[in-house]
Amino acid sequence: MARYTLAQSPEVVLTVAGKDSPKAREKAMAELMELMDSGKLDTDLADGFSPDQFIEVRELSMSEDREDPITQAVQVLNNLATLKIKVQELRSDAMQVRSQIDILFSDEIVTEEQINSLKEGFKTLKSFAQLNMKFLDARSQAENARQVLDEALKSPNAEVKAPVESVTVETSGEITADPEPVAVGANADEEETVTEIEDAIVEVPVSKSTKKK
């Protein structure tokens, strides 16, 4: 659907089928004339108003709305990069000229050649100073641009994991000790170690008869 409005009446929106095209604008023009003829639209159009003067109303999608600040951020950083290169190129010559300025405030005798060289260097010094000021301003603005890009470049998997809740095992507070092994001995006073043999087989001798014949 194509939507159009008027500069004279921005509150009026005309919607026609299809995309923006001369044909769609002609349809919007016909709809506009019907509204004016029926008295539903009180708008004074200047003579010579044509469909080309319609203003297309576009709704930005979520992706377009997000891309706009990203585009601006890239442009800001690109401008910062350009200024940084230019500042670096002029810094050395500008600092050299700056050191020569001090001779104007000393009692040393200077030659006309030195003065002419200094005057010529003022152009470089001026260019550097102006570019350096722009660079400093651009760098402060680029901080926000860098944050915008960092936010847009976040990985979808870089999510904060929920902390694992520690499980606390509650005890009744009573500790029952395992019973100590009881030593088995011949006497209670004597401590002997008894070795237990599982499934031991004990052979009992068969008594023979000793009866005389």
Side-chain angles (χ1 to χ4, degrees):
M1 304 294 285
R3 305 173 66 193
Y4 302 101
T5 187
L6 310 172
Q8 299 88 338
S9 302
E11 72 279 1
V12 177
V13 178
L14 305 172
T15 303
V16 296
K19 298 181 179 180
D20 179 36
S21 63
K23 186 177 181 179
R25 289 176 177 269
E26 289 291 343
K27 291 180 181 179
M29 187 68 179
E31 186 176 335
L32 175 63
M33 298 305 296
E34 290 180 3
L35 292 174
M36 295 179 64
D37 293 341
S38 62
K40 295 181 181 180
L41 180 62
D42 186 14
T43 301
D44 293 332
L45 299 179
D47 294 339
F49 181 84
S50 66
D52 294 336
Q53 294 177 268
F54 279 126
I55 301 173
E56 184 182 5
V57 179
R58 294 185 58 191
E59 293 183 358
L60 291 177
S61 62
M62 292 183 63
S63 60
E64 290 175 336
D65 189 36
R66 289 178 63 87
E67 287 176 1
D68 186 56
I70 294 174
T71 302
Q72 293 179 1
V74 171
Q75 290 176 348
V76 169
L77 292 173
N78 182 67
N79 181 50
L80 178 65
T82 302
L83 288 173
K84 186 176 181 64
I85 292 297
K86 292 182 178 180
V87 166
Q88 288 180 170
E89 291 175 351
L90 295 177
R91 182 183 298 276
S92 178
D93 293 340
M95 291 299 100
Q96 185 176 359
V97 175
R98 172 60 186 86
S99 64
Q100 295 175 1
I101 293 178
D102 294 338
I103 64 175
L104 299 176
F105 299 89
S106 67
D107 295 332
E108 297 180 4
I109 298 176
V110 295
T111 63
E112 184 177 356
E113 183 179 357
Q114 287 178 304
I115 294 297
N116 291 334
S117 176
L118 186 58
K119 287 182 177 180
E120 188 66 25
F122 284 156
K123 298 178 182 179
T124 302
L125 188 62
K126 178 182 177 182
S127 298
F128 170 76
Q130 290 176 338
L131 285 172
N132 194 48
M133 290 298 295
K134 291 180 179 179
F135 171 73
L136 295 177
D137 291 340
R139 188 169 61 180
S140 62
Q141 296 176 6
E143 289 294 338
N144 293 332
R146 180 166 60 176
Q147 292 178 5
V148 170
L149 286 180
D150 287 344
E151 185 69 22
L153 294 175
K154 279 185 178 179
S155 172
N157 296 327
E159 298 178 356
V160 179
K161 296 183 178 180
V164 179
E165 297 182 358
S166 59
V167 179
T168 303
V169 179
E170 296 183 357
T171 61
S172 60
E174 298 179 1
I175 301 176
T176 303
D178 294 335
E180 295 181 356
V182 179
V184 179
N187 298 321
D189 296 334
E190 298 178 359
E191 296 181 1
E192 294 182 3
T193 303
V194 178
T195 303
E196 297 181 358
I197 303 176
E198 295 182 0
D199 301 332
I201 300 175
V202 179
E203 294 184 358
V204 179
V206 179
S207 60
K208 296 181 179 181
S209 175
T210 58
K211 186 177 179 179
K212 294 180 181 181
K213 292 182 180 180

